[in-house]
């Protein structure tokens, strides 16, 4: 079981990293490397969101990750904005937890 201090640290990392991951998803990627920056960002966002219990955000990122893994299209503006809105809702909810 994770203690309160460890849980706070985990949520702080999630908050710090997730905004950047979403920014990566919003940036057009013309880099022909595998895995793509979008795929890495979607995977990391999915995993860290799930780890802190942000299951809706995790599911959105998972769906995007699966599409990207199968060679599907880059994230749309609407998808990125939905991810950002989910993140902002979570951010509002956990702010008091990480500062307690």
């Amino acid at each position: 079981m994770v203690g309160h201090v460890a849980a706070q640290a985990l949520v702080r990392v999630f908050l710090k990293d997730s905004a950047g991951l979403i920014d990566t998803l919003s940036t057009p990627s013309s880099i022909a490397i595998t895995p793509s920056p979008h795929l890495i960002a979607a995977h990391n966002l999915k995993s860290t969101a799930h780890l802190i219990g942000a299951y809706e955000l995790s599911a959105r990122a998972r769906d995007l990750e699966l599409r990207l893994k199968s060679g599907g299209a880059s994230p749309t503006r609407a998808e990125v904005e939905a991810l950002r809105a989910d993140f902002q809702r979570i951010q509002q909810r956990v702010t008091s937890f990480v500062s307690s």
Side-chain angles (χ1 to χ4, degrees), residues 34-58:
T34 303
S36 74
H38 286 160
L39 179 57
I40 294 168
H43 173 79
N44 290 345
L45 185 60
K46 172 202 72 175
S47 299
T48 56
H50 191 271
L51 196 58
I52 69 154
Y55 300 120
E56 287 182 42
L57 177 59
S58 180

Side-chain angles (χ1 to χ4, degrees), residues 8-98:
Q8 284 178 312
L10 187 63
V11 171
R12 280 189 196 102
V13 169
F14 166 78
L15 292 173
K16 180 177 122 327
D17 292 350
S18 294
L21 294 171
I22 294 169
D23 287 344
T24 297
L25 291 168
S26 70
T27 305
S29 179
S30 59
I31 301 171
I33 60 170
T34 303
S36 74
H38 286 160
L39 179 57
I40 294 168
H43 173 79
N44 290 345
L45 185 60
K46 172 202 72 175
S47 299
T48 56
H50 191 271
L51 196 58
I52 69 154
Y55 300 120
E56 287 182 42
L57 177 59
S58 180
R60 284 184 197 275
R62 180 200 64 226
D63 292 346
L64 177 57
E65 178 189 21
L66 291 173
R67 187 177 79 222
L68 293 167
K69 275 185 177 179
S70 68
S74 294
T76 65
R77 173 175 265 177
E79 288 172 317
V80 172
E81 290 311 312
L83 290 166
R84 196 178 310 280
D86 282 350
F87 171 70
Q88 289 170 342
R89 279 191 294 277
I90 295 159
Q91 187 177 33
Q92 291 171 351
R93 291 179 187 155
V94 300
T95 298
S96 61
F97 171 70
V98 295

